Amino acid sequence: QQPVQSPQAVILREGEDAVINCSSSKALYSVHWYRQKHGEAPVFLMILLKGGEQKGHEKISASFNEKKQQSSLYLTASQLSYSGTYFCGTEITGNTPLVFGKGTRLSVIA
Amino acid sequence: DGGITQSPKYLFRKEGQNVTLSCEQNLNHDAMYWYRQDPGQGLRLIYYSQIVNDFQKGDIAEGYSVSREKKESFPLTVTSAQKNPTAFYLCASSILGAGKQPQHFGDGTRLSIL
């Protein structure tokens, strides 16, 4: 079942923060996050495994709340280069294909 | 450099015609995937394969066919039975046990109807 992402779209000014959520009605094994620029391939950001871990690098981090079956992606002090569509992909077991959400379109303006 | 190569970048299909999209990877990945992307719909799984000579249907397999004769190659055929083929098609690969491993994507093929 397709995970639900929110919000569908968000506009930020440079330097502002954003949170993108990804929720599932099923128990998850892992959550993947990708960013896609228009007309390009999705680029991998990070993976979170069940166990409620939090990961991050530089100003982009994510958490996975196993009780809620929800992952959140945090973008702090946004830059113009953060613009794009963010997708979460969820996995029920460790060897099944990812099911992607519909995406969140993020636009960062000067 | 290792990666995934999709070709062609743009493809046009006439009514009643079958077309084949190429996907080749040199990452030595066992698993390969085909996704269809429509505006506002995210990535929807068409077919996937975890081993040579074996593949599984995804959520929207109707009107599509695949083969996996070599580990490196996973071509997708869009048949005439697919009545709305206009979309952006993405091929991906990963190490098996993808829960801990990212998927790597090709640059995509944009298919349109003439």
Side-chain angles (χ1 to χ4, degrees), chain A residues 12-100:
Chain A
L12 300 174
R13 291 198 179 274
E14 273 188 295
E16 291 183 337
D17 301 340
V19 180
I20 300 171
N21 295 309
C22 174
S23 298
S24 174
S25 58
K26 294 191 174 184
L28 299 175
Y29 176 82
S30 70
V31 180
H32 297 217
W33 285 98
Y34 293 81
R35 176 172 62 210
Q36 184 181 30
K37 305 277 186 179
H38 183 70
E40 298 180 6
V43 173
F44 169 74
L45 295 176
M46 63 190 76
I47 294 173
L48 298 103
L49 301 179
K50 67 177 181 180
E53 64 174 10
Q54 184 157 357
K55 276 192 169 183
H57 54 89
E58 296 185 353
K59 296 175 183 175
I60 299 177
S61 62
S63 64
F64 180 19
N65 185 319
E66 198 173 347
K67 283 188 178 179
K68 293 184 179 180
Q69 297 304 322
Q70 176 175 298
S71 178
S72 297
L73 185 72
Y74 307 94
L75 300 102
T76 58
S78 57
Q79 307 167 13
L80 294 174
S81 62
Y82 286 6
S83 293
T85 301
Y86 289 77
F87 293 98
C88 68
T90 57
E91 194 175 22
I92 306 299
T93 69
N95 208 24
T96 52
L98 294 177
V99 179
F100 287 91

